[in-house]
Amino acid sequence: MSDTSDDYVYDEASGEWISAAEAASNAEAGQQVEVRDSVGNLLADGDSVITIKDLKVKGAGQTLRKGTVIKSIRLTGDSQEIDCRYEGIKGLVLRAEFVRKH
């Protein structure tokens, strides 16, 4: 039986073999992405945001007007995308550059 301290994985970012424990800690650190709105405010899960311009929603045949409040956002792990729910639109993903924190 080998423990995790003897296991190594190839890190594509650095091009080196690193221990499994180090790879796990790098993965945890990489998952925490900072998402900032159009004016630089840090966003978090559960925040409310306001659209700063009219946004046409593809596939929904609907436009989110400037000033629309979106409640309870979720971060996606991408620094520029936030997952939202809005009445009548399923799977809405907005770019952080088009919203500001409410």
Side-chain angles (χ1 to χ4, degrees):
M1 306 254 169
S2 68
D3 63 15
T4 58
S5 63
D6 293 339
D7 294 336
Y8 287 90
V9 293
Y10 184 74
D11 182 29
E12 292 181 12
S14 68
E16 299 176 356
W17 289 91
I18 58 174
S19 69
E22 186 178 344
S25 68
N26 289 348
E28 286 177 10
Q31 289 176 351
Q32 297 180 4
V33 176
E34 282 190 353
V35 180
R36 297 195 177 264
D37 68 2
S38 61
V39 293
N41 296 324
L42 190 61
L43 297 174
D45 284 339
D47 283 347
S48 294
V49 294
I50 299 174
T51 58
I52 61 168
K53 64 182 256 177
D54 290 351
L55 301 171
K56 293 181 182 176
V57 181
K58 294 180 181 178
Q62 195 173 354
T63 300
L64 291 176
R65 308 293 283 165
K66 178 180 178 180
T68 301
V69 176
I70 308 287
K71 297 179 181 177
S72 190
I73 65 168
R74 287 183 294 156
L75 304 181
T76 62
D78 184 330
S79 65
Q80 278 299 308
E81 293 183 350
I82 55 175
D83 191 26
C84 311
R85 287 189 180 186
Y86 189 72
E87 54 197 46
I89 304 173
K90 285 188 173 185
L92 179 62
V93 176
L94 295 177
R95 302 269 307 163
E97 65 190 283
F98 299 124
V99 298
R100 69 177 165 84
K101 194 170 185 176
H102 185 240

